[in-house]
C-alpha cells in the first residue's frame, strides 16, 4: 500500500507526471520506464528514445493515469 495515496485519499484520482532533465544529458532507460509504467497501469504520453540528447528543462518522459500508479513509479 502506498501511504501517500491512502492518507490523502487519492485512490480514485488521476494525474500526470513529467520527468525533466536538470542538465544537458544523453537519455538512457526510457524504454524500461515505459515497461514500468505499463506494470503500474499508467499511460506513457511522451518518451524520448535512449541515446537522444536532452537539454536542461526538457521533458524526457511523461505519463498519466491513476495517482496510485503514478506514485509507484
Amino acid at each position: 500500500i502506498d501511504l501517500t495515496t491512502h492518507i490523502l485519499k487519492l485512490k480514485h484520482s488521476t494525474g500526470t507526471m513529467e520527468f525533466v532533465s536538470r542538465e544537458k544529458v544523453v537519455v538512457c532507460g526510457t524504454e524500461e520506464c515505459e515497461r514500468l509504467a505499463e506494470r503500474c497501469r499508467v499511460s506513457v504520453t511522451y518518451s524520448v528514445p535512449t541515446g537522444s540528447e536532452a537539454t536542461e528543462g526538457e521533458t524526457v518522459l511523461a505519463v498519466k493515469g491513476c495517482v496510485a500508479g503514478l506514485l509507484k513509479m
Side-chain angles (χ1 to χ4, degrees), residues 25-64:
V25 297
V26 174
V27 177
C28 178
T30 51
E31 293 81 7
E32 288 79 4
C33 290
E34 289 176 24
R35 286 194 291 277
L36 178 60
E38 186 178 313
R39 291 185 65 145
C40 294
R41 297 185 177 162
V42 299
S43 301
V44 176
T45 57
Y46 180 78
S47 179
V48 174
T50 291
S52 301
E53 289 187 3
T55 58
E56 180 181 348
E58 184 177 343
T59 299
V60 295
L61 183 75
V63 293
K64 70 175 182 178

Side-chain angles (χ1 to χ4, degrees), residues 12-24:
H12 301 291
S13 298
T14 59
T16 61
M17 187 165 43
E18 291 185 7
F19 296 85
V20 178
S21 175
R22 294 184 190 171
E23 58 190 49
K24 184 178 178 182

